[in-house]
């Protein structure tokens, strides 16, 4: 079973339906203790980083997700769920992220439109087993006003939006995507399918 | 590079898609889900559903409709029409809509925008503006094109973005259903005044209209209903013409062998 970490933020039904469309069984999980039974975790999130982080910690998910990480359970962070993998965000400096990756999340600047809304093509800069069906230049759907500042060796993909912006970050058994794979048509379903097969 | 978006709009009444000319005279053109699937396969970047005669009694229908669409679609979709409270916006988002579009109710009570954006984020809050040309510029019209407000469109757009609207859908009533092309002046005036994405709507009849929209204004997306409904033009045709004139578009999806 893939657990979709449900801390009350975001359109989780969409993620669940997309995983179901690629043949995976996914459940919304509100109780951190239940993450111990999960074969993989999806960490979603949408809207304000501070609100997401507060709710995530208030539900008590941080220790359970750290534990899953330590046990090598596959984890996929989506949008603000990807941003939560970092130390924190300037959107709310008082709220910590999980700190799996070094660096902070900063507001998009130097662009005519914020939020970035729409389909942008991802330039791959590294590889990962769950990206094997993603081709360089594939388009994905983005909706965000903040983005993690690029972090060297764990950056796996960028998009051009007033300069290169981090779109995919990852390492062994962990991947974060700034875009919404559940809303990115066939390209997104292929990525979710590869993730689900790792579970 | 961020692609310009092509967005088919489905005007919905009682779960059926209908077409309007200058907001009057509607007729059924088919089941919404079937059309949504066709547009999805044809490369639509997003879909907008407007419940054109939404009323309090029908809100259950609208929420159920959003849930049915969400099951079928793996691209973003927006639901609008008659959204007068943040609670109803929340119901639609929970049912699977990615964004809600508020219009008349937000003009009557602008705090609706702040409530929706505050609870669900600006990215989920689209302000839809129906605009008509006036002696001094462009005027906001509400209630499905029936009630002029005396408000200036650009001033309202700026106020709404300040309140938290994350995207603007700007519809020209004068061009609606006329096939005269987008109102480029209206689109440019709004797009120059705000920093959030702007979707132009009303009047598109050909791929060339979309090419002009993106070459001559800073619009982020173009929306059309009737030309796509009747198959006079496909989303694929529009994208081909745009790509040929150097406008960034998302190509048709790659199929894995």
């Amino acid at each position: 079973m893939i657990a979709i970490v449900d801390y009350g933020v975001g359109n989780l039904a969409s993620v669940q339906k997309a995983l179901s469309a690629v043949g995976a069984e996914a459940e919304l999980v509100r109780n951190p203790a239940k993450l111990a039974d999960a074969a993989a975790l999806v960490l979603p999130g949408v809207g304000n980083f501070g609100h997401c982080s507060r709710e995530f910690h208030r539900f008590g998910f941080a220790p359970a997700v750290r534990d899953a990480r330590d046990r090598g359970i596959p984890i996929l962070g989506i949008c603000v769920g990807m941003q939560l993998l970092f130390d924190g965000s300037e959107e709310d400096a008082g709220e910590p992220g999980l700190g799996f990756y070094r660096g902070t999340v900063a507001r998009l600047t130097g662009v005519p439109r914020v939020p970035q809304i729409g389909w942008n093509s991802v330039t791959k800069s590294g590889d990962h087993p769950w990206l094997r069906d993603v081709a360089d230049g594939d388009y994905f759907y983005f909706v965000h006003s903040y983005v993690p500042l690029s972090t060297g060796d764990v950056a796996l993909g960028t998009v051009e939006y007033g300069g290169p912006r981090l779109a995919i970050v990852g390492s062994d058994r962990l991947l974060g995507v700034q875009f919404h794979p559940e809303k990115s048509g066939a390209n997104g379903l292929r990525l979710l399918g590869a993730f689900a097969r790792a579970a | 590079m961020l692609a310009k978006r092509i967005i088919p709009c489905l005007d919905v009444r009682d779960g059926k898609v209908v077409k309007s000319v200058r907001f009057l005279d509607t007729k059924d053109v088919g089941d919404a889900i079937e059309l949504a699937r066709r547009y999805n396969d044809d490369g639509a970047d997003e879909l907008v559903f407007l419940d054109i005669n939404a009323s309090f009694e029908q809100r259950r229908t609208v929420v159920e409709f959003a849930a049915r669409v969400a099951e079928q679609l793996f691209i973003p979709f927006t639901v609008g029409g008659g959204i007068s409270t943040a609670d109803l916006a929340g119901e639609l988002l929970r049912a699977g809509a990615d964004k809600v579009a508020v219009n008349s109710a937000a003009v009557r009570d602008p705090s609706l925008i702040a409530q929706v954006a505050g609870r669900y984020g600006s990215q989920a809050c689209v302000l839809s503006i129906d605009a008509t040309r006036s002696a001094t510029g462009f005027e906001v019209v509400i209630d499905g094109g029936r009630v002029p407000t005396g408000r200036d469109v650009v001033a309202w757009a700026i106020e709404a973005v300040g309140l938290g609207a994350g995207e603007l859908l700007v519809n020209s009533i004068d061009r609606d259903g006329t096939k005269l092309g987008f109102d480029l002046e209206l689109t440019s005036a709004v797009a120059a005044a705000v920093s959030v994405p702007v979707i132009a709507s009303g009047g598109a009849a050909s791929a060339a209209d979309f090419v002009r929209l993106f070459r001559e204004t800073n619009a982020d997306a173009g929306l059309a209903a009737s030309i796509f409904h009747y198959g006079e033009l496909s989303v694929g045709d529009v994208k081909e013409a745009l790509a040929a004139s150097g406008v960034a578009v998302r190509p048709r999806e790659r199929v894995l062998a």
Side-chain angles (χ1 to χ4, degrees):
Chain A
M1 181 267 294
I2 298 175
I4 300 169
V5 177
D6 180 3
Y7 55 98
V9 176
N11 186 351
L12 308 188
S14 292
V15 178
Q16 190 176 23
K17 279 169 190 156
L19 283 166
S20 157
V22 298
E25 191 193 328
E27 270 180 39
L28 307 188
V29 173
R30 286 221 149 195
N31 176 2
K34 278 202 71 187
L35 296 190
D37 310 326
L41 306 186
V42 174
L43 190 55
V46 70
N48 178 280
F49 181 94
H51 178 68
C52 286
S53 175
R54 251 187 308 280
E55 292 304 296
F56 179 76
H57 286 101
R58 190 173 68 79
F59 273 76
F61 274 120
V65 172
R66 284 183 205 290
D67 179 59
R69 172 80 185 126
D70 290 343
R71 287 183 292 122
I73 303 296
I75 301 174
L76 173 65
I78 297 174
C79 196
V80 178
M82 173 254 214
Q83 298 177 1
L84 282 172
L85 304 176
F86 289 81
D87 291 322
S89 171
E90 65 172 44
E91 191 174 7
D92 189 333
E95 281 296 324
L98 283 159
F100 292 160
Y101 296 137
R102 296 277 78 79
T104 57
V105 179
R107 190 165 171 85
L108 289 169
T109 52
V111 282
R113 303 268 187 242
V114 177
Q116 172 176 221
I117 297 183
W119 299 77
N120 204 330
S121 66
V122 172
T123 302
K124 282 172 85 174
S125 57
D127 227 330
H128 191 282
W130 310 340
L131 298 177
R132 63 173 171 242
D133 297 332
V134 173
D136 192 40
D138 272 357
Y139 279 79
F140 292 91
Y141 186 75
F142 289 77
V143 184
H144 63 125
S145 300
Y146 289 78
V147 69
L149 296 174
S150 192
T151 58
D153 58 334
V154 293
L156 298 179
T158 57
V159 287
E160 181 59 36
Y161 195 61
R165 309 289 186 172
L166 194 61
I168 311 176
V169 66
S171 50
D172 186 38
R173 315 288 278 172
L174 180 61
L175 195 76
V177 292
Q178 181 61 71
F179 51 80
H180 286 271
E182 77 281 11
K183 288 289 164 185
S184 293
N187 291 344
L189 293 178
R190 277 192 282 265
L191 190 157
L192 290 172
F195 164 70
R197 284 192 296 277
Chain B
M1 199 173 161
L2 186 66
K4 298 293 185 182
R5 285 171 283 156
I6 307 304
I7 307 177
C9 173
L10 294 87
D11 292 330
V12 177
R13 190 178 57 196
D14 304 327
K16 290 275 193 186
V17 176
V18 297
K19 173 189 180 295
S20 74
V21 177
R22 288 203 172 95
F23 284 11
L24 303 167
D25 183 33
T26 58
K27 59 179 175 178
D28 290 348
V29 292
D31 181 73
I33 303 289
E34 195 188 322
L35 269 174
R37 275 196 190 140
R38 195 182 88 200
Y39 291 145
N40 185 30
D41 296 344
D42 204 24
D45 295 310
E46 196 167 328
L47 291 172
V48 169
F49 296 86
L50 289 180
D51 193 318
I52 57 167
N53 67 341
S55 66
F56 183 77
E57 299 73 44
Q58 292 169 319
R59 54 189 285 176
R60 282 262 63 83
T61 321
V62 184
V63 173
E64 280 160 25
F65 173 81
R68 278 182 64 208
V69 171
E71 273 171 30
Q72 307 287 339
L73 277 188
F74 300 104
I75 60 171
F77 77 100
T78 302
V79 179
I83 297 173
S84 53
T85 64
D87 286 339
L88 177 55
E91 278 188 67
L92 288 164
L93 294 168
R94 275 189 295 278
D98 298 288
K99 315 175 201 178
V100 291
V102 294
N103 189 331
S104 304
V107 173
R108 290 200 178 86
D109 176 11
S111 77
L112 176 62
I113 296 170
Q115 288 172 45
V116 173
R119 281 197 214 171
Y120 309 108
S122 287
Q123 86 292 332
C125 182
V126 180
L127 175 71
S128 179
I129 305 176
D130 293 335
T132 190
R133 284 174 180 257
S134 69
T136 53
F138 298 98
E139 181 181 3
V140 179
V141 181
I142 58 171
D143 293 342
R146 287 186 291 272
V147 180
T149 64
R151 294 212 55 171
D152 178 64
V153 167
V154 171
W156 173 226
I158 292 169
E159 181 184 339
V161 170
L163 288 167
E167 195 167 21
L168 300 178
L169 168 53
V170 182
N171 184 50
S172 163
I173 291 179
D174 308 318
R175 298 292 175 91
D176 182 54
T178 63
K179 303 195 172 182
L180 294 170
F182 292 104
D183 190 330
L184 302 180
E185 228 177 291
L186 168 67
T187 308
S188 292
V190 177
V194 298
S195 59
V196 301
V198 171
I199 305 167
S201 160
S206 66
D209 289 336
F210 285 86
V211 173
R212 288 188 66 200
L213 174 69
F214 294 124
R215 299 194 98 173
E216 296 176 32
T217 80
N218 285 324
D220 302 90
L223 175 147
S226 58
I227 52 163
F228 294 136
H229 290 179
Y230 290 116
E232 294 163 34
L233 192 65
S234 73
V235 175
D237 295 338
V238 171
K239 288 193 167 181
E240 217 170 280
L242 287 170
S245 36
V247 177
V249 289
R250 177 177 71 113
R252 203 184 288 266
E253 287 183 325
R254 194 164 51 84
V255 179
L256 269 197

